[in-house]
Amino acid sequence: MDNFNFYSPTEFVFGKGRESECGEYVRKYGGSRVLIHYGGGSAVRSGLLDRVKSSLKAQDIYYTELGGVQPNPRDTLVYKGIDLCRNEKIDFILAVGGGSVIDSAKAIAAGTLYDGDFWDFYSGKHVEKALPIGVVLTISAAGSEGSGDSVITKEEGLLKRGTGSDALRSRFSVLDPELTQTLPAYQTACGATDIMAHVFERYFTNTKEVEITDRLCEAVLITMVKETPRVIADPNNYEARANIMWAGMVAHNGIVGVGRSQDWNSHGIEHELSALYDCAHGAGLAVIMPSWMEFVYKHDVMRFCQMATRVFGCQMNFEDPEATALEGIRRFRSFLHSIGMPINFAELGAKEEDIPVMVEKLGLGDGRTWGFVRLSAEDVTQIYMNAVKASH
Ligand code: NZQ
Ligand code: ZN
């Protein structure tokens, strides 16, 4: 196991109705002038936003609001948010929504305290300080409620880029599984795919002897395979929603990836799809991740056999381990299809002729990526081509 630090300072406030306590938590973490940040309207329609406001009012906390965050959040709204925070002397941002809202809130939080252009943080500069943020989560997916990451799309040139810093970790995150019951089945499935992908990015490692994190990863994956079909069949299944919501946090706050090298190439390759086509991140991952697996499995066939046998219940074929590895990948793709995810370019609405542009934007030049298998531009092209051809 590699040396590591693990820092996850967020207070998680989990369970039914807990959003009514968010005013108390804002107060606890020093907020007195709050920006409530939210998305395209689901939180308004469900009445959640009103409940959040009542909770702030009950604590005599001043607030102003900025809605309209789009999925794959844009830099343009971040600039607006920064101006608003400065003009209103905001000292706390409350994100009410999913990964897009939370990531936009994180960008505003960092940008408000920075003299330069906030985009510097998405071009390699480290975030040293940010306004404190809190979260009321409405979709189990990105894991931004427990991560120090934020991903923003620059409208000019459609550049989707991320940043990561402990300064961006939420002070508290309210996780009420009931809030996710209004999600359309497609969004639920996109979220489930993203959660599984966050685990796979860590599971496929070159570090040896990492039994504890392997087993934690497998626990999250097995939970997702069991619980996702239950919520697709019955959106009001609270217990299954609860297991998925906590799985989404565990998958991405770092705990299942400590002490081991990680991959993250599927995320990089996917971000070009969601930047170009504005598709859901999870849907893009459903198309890319099995295609990436098919490209790299020979690098460590036994690790893929471990996934196949422990997560997808395959029988180990000792005479032909590659067959077991491939069967595991096939079952993963088939699972994604069964929950309503696209599994190839055509189903996602992506076009083969755009592949050179996406590879170019990844910026590998003559170089290679990082991770489990280091990929050249030709390798990435091949992975996109696997995704063009994938069938069920
Ligand atoms: O905008 P509203 O109206 O709220 O609708 C949203 C949105 O259309 C809807 N929704 C959310 N909660 C709902 C609901 N609809 C009904 N009922 C509810 N309870 O769902 C749609 C998707 O929301 P979004 O926030 O975009 O989803 P998600 O949480 O998947 O976030 C995706 C973004 O996170 C980034 C992705 O790249 C993408 O931009 N990621 C962020 C990460 C991080 N910060 O750690 C890591 C991830 O790998 C990921 O890259
Ligand atoms: Zn993701």
Side-chain angles (χ1 to χ4, degrees):
M1 199 184 294
D2 302 335
N3 292 0
F4 67 87
N5 285 22
F6 177 61
Y7 180 70
S8 180
T10 306
E11 180 164 1
F12 295 101
V13 181
F14 192 99
K16 262 184 205 175
R18 302 297 305 273
E19 61 275 12
S20 65
E21 297 168 44
C22 66
E24 292 160 40
Y25 286 96
V26 169
R27 168 96 42 233
K28 175 174 174 179
Y29 289 101
S32 60
R33 295 181 65 82
V34 175
L35 174 70
I36 305 175
H37 201 32
Y38 59 95
S42 74
V44 179
R45 286 191 299 277
S46 67
L48 171 63
L49 209 65
D50 285 340
R51 296 206 295 285
V52 166
K53 288 178 188 170
S54 302
S55 176
L56 293 177
K57 275 186 205 148
Q59 295 290 320
D60 279 330
I61 295 171
Y62 171 83
Y63 63 80
T64 185
E65 56 190 273
L66 179 64
V69 179
Q70 293 167 253
N72 304 313
R74 310 303 148 92
D75 62 334
T76 39
L77 194 68
V78 172
Y79 289 113
K80 266 193 201 160
I82 292 170
D83 285 345
L84 188 59
C85 284
R86 287 180 181 157
N87 294 338
E88 290 268 355
K89 301 200 171 12
I90 294 300
D91 59 16
F92 196 97
I93 303 179
L94 185 57
V96 181
S100 296
V101 172
I102 303 168
D103 286 5
S104 182
K106 287 174 175 176
I108 296 170
T112 301
L113 300 188
Y114 178 60
D115 287 338
D117 183 346
F118 94 92
W119 190 253
D120 293 348
F121 298 127
Y122 295 77
S123 320
K125 191 177 173 66
H126 189 250
V127 177
E128 301 294 342
K129 57 182 178 176
L131 288 175
I133 73 155
V135 167
V136 178
L137 186 67
T138 63
I139 172 171
S140 311
S144 191
E145 67 278 14
S147 82
D149 302 339
S150 163
V151 185
I152 301 291
T153 299
K154 191 181 182 56
E155 282 196 1
E156 196 187 318
L158 292 177
L159 290 176
K160 187 170 183 179
R161 296 288 180 265
T163 191
S165 165
D166 284 335
L168 296 176
R169 288 180 186 266
S170 181
R171 296 296 202 275
F172 72 88
S173 290
V174 174
L175 272 52
D176 175 357
E178 218 168 29
L179 298 179
T180 66
Q181 289 175 192
T182 52
L183 279 165
Y186 183 77
Q187 284 297 340
T188 296
C190 288
T193 306
D194 195 18
I195 291 169
M196 293 180 78
H198 292 162
V199 176
F200 280 134
E201 298 282 17
R202 293 165 166 106
Y203 192 69
F204 292 104
T205 181
N206 292 315
T207 312
K208 302 295 176 205
E209 303 274 357
V210 281
E211 184 72 4
I212 174 64
T213 39
D214 271 4
R215 294 289 185 177
L216 287 171
C217 285
E218 288 156 8
V220 176
L221 292 166
I222 291 165
T223 300
M224 295 307 297
V225 171
K226 174 170 180 270
E227 301 291 41
T228 308
R230 292 178 77 205
V231 295
I232 300 288
D234 174 12
N236 297 325
N237 185 330
Y238 178 84
E239 297 304 336
R241 291 271 185 203
N243 279 302
I244 290 176
M245 197 165 226
W246 192 239
M249 203 301 293
V250 172
H252 199 43
N253 83 330
I255 195 163
V256 303
V258 293
R260 52 199 288 151
S261 68
Q262 304 182 10
D263 189 63
W264 296 99
N265 278 311
S266 295
H267 266 67
I269 295 169
E270 187 296 311
H271 281 164
E272 297 308 330
L273 288 172
S274 45
L276 195 58
Y277 304 111
D278 207 12
C279 60
H281 168 61
L285 285 167
V287 171
I288 293 302
M289 194 135 230
S291 303
W292 169 85
M293 289 179 175
E294 284 166 345
F295 189 77
V296 301
Y297 78 95
K298 288 188 180 159
H299 175 68
D300 188 347
V301 172
M302 291 315 288
R303 182 149 279 279
F304 276 90
C305 289
Q306 183 175 305
M307 170 196 83
T309 54
R310 292 187 187 171
V311 179
F312 292 106
C314 300
Q315 279 290 323
M316 182 66 205
N317 181 341
F318 290 99
E319 269 148 39
D320 188 1
E322 282 198 24
T324 308
L326 285 170
E327 176 60 12
I329 299 168
R330 192 196 66 73
R331 288 194 192 186
F332 176 41
R333 184 178 273 138
S334 154
F335 169 78
L336 295 170
H337 176 60
S338 75
I339 60 170
M341 285 291 89
I343 53 108
N344 57 34
F345 259 45
E347 289 180 6
L348 186 72
K351 298 195 191 82
E352 185 179 336
E353 59 262 34
D354 290 334
I355 291 175
V357 176
M358 291 190 282
V359 175
E360 173 78 30
K361 278 172 72 189
L362 265 171
L364 298 179
D366 296 333
R368 287 180 171 265
T369 62
W370 52 86
F372 183 63
V373 174
R374 289 167 176 264
L375 304 170
S376 66
E378 292 76 48
D379 296 338
V380 174
T381 302
Q382 190 53 56
I383 291 167
Y384 281 128
M385 283 309 296
N386 286 357
V388 169
K389 293 179 195 143
S391 61
H392 25 81

